[in-house]
Amino acid sequence: MKKSWIIALNTFHESLRKKTLYIVLVFGLVVIGASRLFSFLTAQEELKMIQDVSFSAIEFFGALIAIFGSLGAISSEIEKRTIYTLLSKPITRPHFVIGKFIGQKLILLINFVLLCLFFIGLLLFKKSMPNVEIFKALFLIYVELLLISSITLALATFTSDAFNIIFSFFLYIVGHLTSYGRQLLERTENIILKGLGDMLYTLVPNYENFAIRDKVVVGVPVSWQYVGKTTAYGIIYIVIAILIGIYFFQKREV
Amino acid sequence: MALIETKDLTKIYELGWNKKVIGLNQVNLQIEEGEIFGILGPNGSGKTTCLKLLLGVLFPTSGEALIMGKGPLDVNMKKHVGFLPENPYYYDYLTGPELLKFYGRLFDLSPAEINNRTARLLEMVGLAGAKRLSLRHYSKGMLERIGLAASLINDPKILVLDEPTTGLDPIGCKETRDLLLQLNQQGKTILLSSHFLSEVERVCSRIAIFHRGNLIEQGTLKELIGQYQANTLEDLFVKSIEKFDQQHPA
Ligand SMILES: Nc1ncnc2c1ncn2[C@@H]1O[C@H](COP(=O)(O)OP(=O)(O)O)[C@@H](O)[C@H]1O
Ligand SMILES: [Mg+2]
């Protein structure tokens, strides 16, 4: 575990210096900042607007950082051939994969925290104390981002970057639509279609589960139980993603 | 038991559905403790493939690769090995000392130990003056030097070097050769690959000649030169390859 941590810190360290993700981060900050331009609204409406836009921006730009950050985590080590030296050290391949997972989570964490701080700063500036519901919504967004980054990283252990990016975004979109899909499927009588739909529903994580912002924005409280359940749901998928990553990387020739 | 050993080591690269390339064909090597052993061969003869198989970067199609009697994935064995890949490349945004520190930590070395060794190794490879430069600004020769330093951070018993002087100028080549001899005198066993005949001639106690994935000859330089009635290593190299091609037309 210590060796994974050393690899994670190296990944994190490199990413901080590379600064490529900063562009996405800046975009996110700009969008959140822009949400306060709706000053023609009443103060109450404006606050709602700020929350709504900020949650969406944090989720969307966070997802971009999660996907683009994880995308090259493994392929860059292979392309630059740093992997040869690394694998000749006394580490196992699972150490490497887990190290990359943790490293990406650290990168995501720092970007996420910056976006959140900016958002909360904006609320405070508008003289609105963020309540615990807001933190619940942010927390679940973070769990969702962890999951998105884990899936991209798992894919990175056995596919090309091009395929990975397409598939990651595909999953991101489908993962937000599965509830609708399921409702549609409930109307069909076709058993095969229903079976396929159910399978897809289980395989593809339902990202909408993490989206409680609609409720938070209008002031409907969300139970801790729901937060806990959804976090567990996310962690199950994250663990599966890590195991898939380890499985494929162990067989991979670099 | 030999310190490094391959038994019928074979690697067939699968390219697509039906295309196969032979990387290494039933190679049997035995390298004893204290040797400087040189793998010599033209480009594409399987030198890199062989070294990668020994270190577990690639997996063999058949046969076995053993270092200290252990397979390529054995973590304890790797504590005693240093590896310098071909055309080494490292993390762009680190400096030389940071790179050595990162690798040193993977060997569980204490921070004090890492600092000590880093200073000593940078001095040894002539990079003490470039401590603050990030690796992305390094020249090819500097990368080769920092790679050599990195491969020595754990004070390994066994040093595996893939073309360690490619990219170095003549002075750098000579310095590296002297360094290898010095390391060997300290008791390190060295396995290196090269297509520079003169380099191999000057440092290696025994050599193996690879061609088209096959080990075609192995022995001391003197033995082989006698056997082929060759005048020089170059002569030996050409004759052994020609003989092999005659016996095994493509
Ligand atoms: N990853 C790979 N995929 C397919 N073929 C490869 C790969 N690596 C090497 N080869 C082939 O294997 C043979 C041996 O290559 P290599 O071991 O790199 O030779 P050398 O290091 O002696 O120049 C060559 O024919 C090369 O084209
Ligand atoms: Mg080579």
Side-chain angles (χ1 to χ4, degrees):
Chain A
M1 211 57 213
K2 195 180 147 218
K3 291 184 178 166
S4 296
W5 181 243
I6 297 167
I7 294 169
L9 285 182
N10 185 53
T11 305
F12 179 63
H13 191 176
E14 249 223 315
S15 154
L16 283 189
R17 292 206 185 158
K18 238 190 307 201
K19 304 189 180 89
T20 38
L21 292 177
Y22 292 0
I23 303 166
V24 182
L25 182 65
V26 167
F27 256 102
L29 295 179
V30 166
V31 170
I32 295 174
S35 66
R36 60 170 292 243
L37 296 178
F38 299 95
S39 43
F40 54 87
L41 301 169
T42 65
Q44 188 83 62
E45 281 172 328
E46 189 195 4
L47 262 183
K48 271 189 197 163
M49 186 59 109
I50 289 177
Q51 291 187 10
D52 206 9
V53 171
S54 299
F55 282 134
S56 302
I58 291 172
E59 201 245 5
F60 178 70
F61 289 101
L64 289 186
I65 290 170
I67 291 176
F68 284 109
S70 306
L71 191 65
I74 289 176
S75 60
S76 76
E77 293 252 8
I78 293 176
E79 266 159 34
K80 292 188 175 165
R81 307 186 305 275
T82 48
I83 188 87
Y84 299 150
T85 313
L86 199 49
L87 290 182
S88 76
K89 303 296 174 217
I91 63 162
T92 62
R93 287 176 178 233
H95 280 137
F96 173 76
V97 175
I98 294 171
K100 286 290 165 187
F101 268 94
I102 299 173
Q104 290 310 319
K105 305 291 177 265
L106 291 176
I107 293 162
L108 196 54
L109 181 66
I110 196 158
N111 282 285
F112 177 76
V113 166
L114 284 172
L115 286 167
C116 289
L117 283 180
F118 194 72
F119 166 50
I120 290 165
L122 197 60
L123 288 181
L124 291 176
F125 179 74
K126 288 282 160 189
K127 309 233 160 30
S128 157
M129 271 308 274
N131 59 15
V132 68
E133 295 299 314
I134 286 186
F135 286 105
K136 283 181 189 166
L138 289 176
F139 176 75
L140 285 186
I141 290 177
Y142 184 60
V143 177
E144 179 191 348
L145 296 180
L146 289 181
L147 176 53
I148 292 172
S149 117
S150 299
I151 288 176
T152 302
L153 203 73
L155 289 169
T157 57
F158 62 94
T159 62
S160 67
D161 282 359
F163 178 81
N164 193 345
I165 201 164
I166 292 169
F167 202 69
S168 292
F169 277 106
F170 173 76
L171 276 186
Y172 178 67
I173 293 165
V174 171
H176 274 290
L177 296 176
T178 53
S179 309
Y180 299 107
R182 199 156 207 221
Q183 282 164 18
L184 283 180
L185 276 177
E186 254 151 35
R187 296 197 204 136
T188 166
E189 298 289 308
N190 188 331
I191 294 189
I192 297 173
L193 212 59
K194 235 186 166 105
L196 272 178
D198 278 343
M199 208 170 76
L200 206 65
Y201 187 77
T202 330
L203 283 180
V204 179
N206 184 351
Y207 290 133
E208 279 302 311
N209 285 346
F210 301 97
I212 57 170
R213 56 173 177 268
D214 293 347
K215 290 188 179 144
V216 171
V217 169
V218 294
V220 178
V222 174
S223 71
W224 281 110
Q225 203 192 351
Y226 182 83
V227 175
K229 217 174 69 188
T230 311
T231 306
Y233 175 82
I235 288 175
I236 290 172
Y237 275 98
I238 290 171
V239 169
I240 292 172
I242 294 178
L243 293 177
I244 289 175
I246 290 175
Y247 174 79
F248 279 101
F249 195 71
Q250 272 192 309
K251 302 208 238 169
R252 175 142 183 191
E253 302 210 310
V254 293
Chain B
M1 188 186 59
L3 198 58
I4 303 175
E5 190 171 11
T6 69
K7 295 178 185 163
D8 290 327
L9 190 60
T10 301
K11 176 70 191 177
I12 296 168
Y13 292 104
E14 314 249 351
L15 307 168
W17 299 114
N18 237 328
K19 247 185 112 198
K20 291 179 176 176
V21 174
I22 294 183
L24 208 62
N25 186 23
Q26 303 195 339
V27 164
N28 290 290
L29 278 176
Q30 269 116 31
I31 296 155
E32 305 295 335
E33 191 159 355
E35 284 193 286
I36 303 189
F37 192 95
I39 297 179
L40 201 58
N43 287 325
S45 56
K47 304 182 293 292
T48 299
T49 302
C50 182
L51 301 185
K52 282 184 181 170
L53 287 168
L54 277 166
L55 288 154
V57 174
L58 294 175
F59 304 121
T61 309
S62 64
E64 246 187 314
L66 299 168
I67 295 182
M68 299 163 72
K70 299 280 166 47
L73 298 178
D74 191 281
V75 172
N76 282 324
M77 171 275 280
K78 286 187 174 170
K79 285 187 185 152
H80 306 289
V81 176
F83 175 50
L84 172 65
E86 186 175 23
N87 302 318
Y89 200 86
Y90 299 101
Y91 305 95
D92 271 341
Y93 292 83
L94 298 186
T95 63
E98 283 169 343
L99 182 75
L100 297 193
K101 184 170 172 204
F102 169 53
Y103 290 140
R105 292 183 66 194
L106 291 176
F107 285 100
D108 280 329
L109 301 178
S110 70
E113 185 81 64
I114 292 176
N115 285 340
N116 264 334
R117 291 190 187 181
T118 299
R120 200 157 40 81
L121 289 171
L122 288 179
E123 191 70 44
M124 193 172 87
V125 298
L127 286 174
K131 284 199 182 91
R132 297 180 134 181
L133 195 64
S134 22
L135 298 177
R136 81 195 128 135
H137 299 305
Y138 271 36
S139 69
K140 220 170 162 237
M142 289 167 86
L143 283 171
E144 204 75 58
R145 288 160 189 264
I146 194 72
L148 191 58
S151 70
L152 288 166
I153 190 75
N154 56 323
D155 193 18
K157 265 201 212 147
I158 298 170
L159 205 49
V160 178
L161 312 168
D162 198 355
E163 314 235 0
T165 55
T166 307
L168 292 180
D169 56 33
I171 295 175
C173 285
K174 170 151 193 336
E175 284 170 1
T176 302
R177 275 200 309 268
D178 293 345
L179 189 61
L180 294 184
L181 289 169
Q182 191 189 326
L183 291 167
N184 180 243
Q185 259 157 24
Q186 292 167 13
K188 297 190 196 310
T189 306
I190 301 175
L191 168 59
L192 64 84
S193 85
S194 183
H195 60 260
F196 289 129
L197 301 179
S198 63
E199 167 177 298
V200 169
E201 194 160 21
R202 279 180 227 181
V203 300
C204 295
S205 46
R206 275 201 312 144
I207 62 167
I209 299 177
F210 278 30
H211 181 47
R212 289 172 20 204
N214 295 276
L215 193 168
I216 58 176
E217 287 299 347
Q218 125 171 261
T220 66
L221 206 55
K222 218 165 131 195
E223 281 167 18
L224 292 178
I225 284 190
Q227 189 182 325
Y228 277 84
Q229 297 175 337
N231 304 317
T232 59
L233 177 57
E234 187 180 346
D235 197 19
L236 161 67
F237 189 64
V238 173
K239 278 184 174 159
S240 62
I241 283 176
E242 275 172 357
K243 180 176 155 204
F244 182 84
D245 280 339
Q246 272 166 17
Q247 288 172 353
H248 308 83

